[in-house]
């Protein structure tokens, strides 16, 4: 199945502790159905000090389920994503505005 959300997309969180917050997708894992969004779903990870890195409590963005993310359209509103053919190519489009993403 084609990916409705891709790396670099601006999204809004629909559910969870970060509900309503917006961010940009930094990576997507289609196999697990999750995506990492910059600055959202932050967890503290403890790292041991090494020769080239300082140890301590490091904030890290954790994956969010794709079902809890919605693409932001050109108006800045959450929208669902659909697919259609344009000039023989399959393109994603925002269901609210009908514009190609």
């Amino acid at each position: 199945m084609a990916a409705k959300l891709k790396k670099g997309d601006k999204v809004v969180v629909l559910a969870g502790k970060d509900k309503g917050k917006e961010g940009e997708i930094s990576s997507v894992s289609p196999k697990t159905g999750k995506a990492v969004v910059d600055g959202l779903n932050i967890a503290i990870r403890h790292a041991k000090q090494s020769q080239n890195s300082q140890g301590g409590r490091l904030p890290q963005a954790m994956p969010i389920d794709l079902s809890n993310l919605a693409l932001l359209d050109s108006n800045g509103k959450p929208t669902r994503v659909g697919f259609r053919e344009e000039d023989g190519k399959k393109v994603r489009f925002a269901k609210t505005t009908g514009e190609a993403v």
Side-chain angles (χ1 to χ4, degrees), residues 7-77:
K7 181 178 176 179
D9 285 348
K10 297 271 187 208
V11 293
V12 63
V13 179
L14 300 175
K17 67 177 183 180
D18 290 325
K19 181 177 179 176
K21 293 184 182 175
E22 300 174 3
E24 187 174 315
I25 295 179
S26 59
S27 68
V28 178
S29 175
K31 191 172 184 180
T32 60
K34 294 178 183 265
V36 176
V37 181
D38 290 332
L40 299 181
N41 200 26
I42 298 294
I44 300 294
R45 291 289 171 248
H46 297 75
K48 193 169 183 177
Q49 185 174 357
S50 67
Q51 240 178 353
N52 48 5
S53 69
Q54 180 71 36
R57 297 166 40 124
L58 305 175
Q60 184 181 8
M62 302 303 287
I64 303 174
D65 203 271
L66 290 174
S67 64
N68 294 330
L69 298 175
L71 187 72
L72 288 174
D73 62 7
S74 55
N75 302 333
K77 301 252 177 150

